[in-house]
Amino acid sequence: MKQSFYASLLDNNKQWVEEELKKDPEFFKKLKDGQNPPILWIGCADSRVPANQIIGANPGEIFVHRNIANMVVHTDMNMLSVLDYAVNVLKVRHVIVCGHYGCGGVKTAMENTSVGLIDNWIRHIKDVYRFNREELVAIEDPKERFDRFVEINIREQVYNLAKSSIVQAAWGRDQFLEIHGWVYGVENGLIKDLDINIENNKELSDVYQLNGIY
Ligand code: CO
């Protein structure tokens, strides 16, 4: 089954091109000179959470970074490069961290089974568990606890964005930049806004606040 799906990919591509051109003969011409997306999406690599599709975004409308469990790790050169380019070159107005219920990375972080090299990536999520241990262990129902941990991890990654020099510098020069935390329901397709609003670095724990940065 996998093989036949693979075999259809290039045909699917040709069909997609035809359909887009039928709707708008200029579709690809309009895209060839560059991009100006207003949004950076940081999401999970999970195949069930395709960024563009679930929010009806067309090519050119969102800049996307995905990794296991939508993490914002401040030493991750890949994530930092995407963030820097999005904020400082593309001048996106919104950064969305979109996690999802049922996230395998988050689930693994709650457990003790080794999954190989990824243990070291999952470690960052285990740290989030430790910071919020009291709240999480108080939730008796395992599914509820898992769902809450997914949400808490998203919140933590939104704060990690706010702590970054890139975001603090943008705020320091009064560049419009809002960061958001969303959670996607794999079982119903719906996104919930977790309503995490950080608008300046004064809302960060004092040790993370960088002064004179712009
Ligand atoms: Co996931």
Side-chain angles (χ1 to χ4, degrees), residues 179-198:
I179 49 183
H180 313 269
W182 288 1
V183 60
Y184 176 75
V186 172
E187 71 282 3
N188 60 18
L190 292 171
I191 292 170
K192 184 164 87 185
D193 187 347
L194 294 176
D195 225 10
I196 308 158
N197 298 304
I198 319 164

Side-chain angles (χ1 to χ4, degrees), residues 110-150:
M110 298 173 77
E111 299 167 349
N112 299 96
T113 309
S114 168
V115 286
L117 176 128
I118 312 171
D119 293 340
N120 302 290
W121 183 255
I122 300 292
R123 248 292 307 282
H124 295 293
I125 319 171
K126 285 186 182 286
D127 292 342
V128 178
Y129 189 93
R130 178 167 60 89
F131 301 151
N132 298 278
R133 197 171 188 285
E134 212 175 319
E135 178 183 345
L136 288 167
V137 295
I139 304 170
E140 277 177 31
D141 181 68
K143 163 91 166 57
E144 243 175 74
R145 192 187 315 132
F146 179 21
D147 286 352
R148 183 64 190 139
F149 189 25
V150 164

Side-chain angles (χ1 to χ4, degrees), residues 44-46 69-70 100 103-105:
C44 184
D46 193 305
N70 41 271
H100 65 102
C103 185

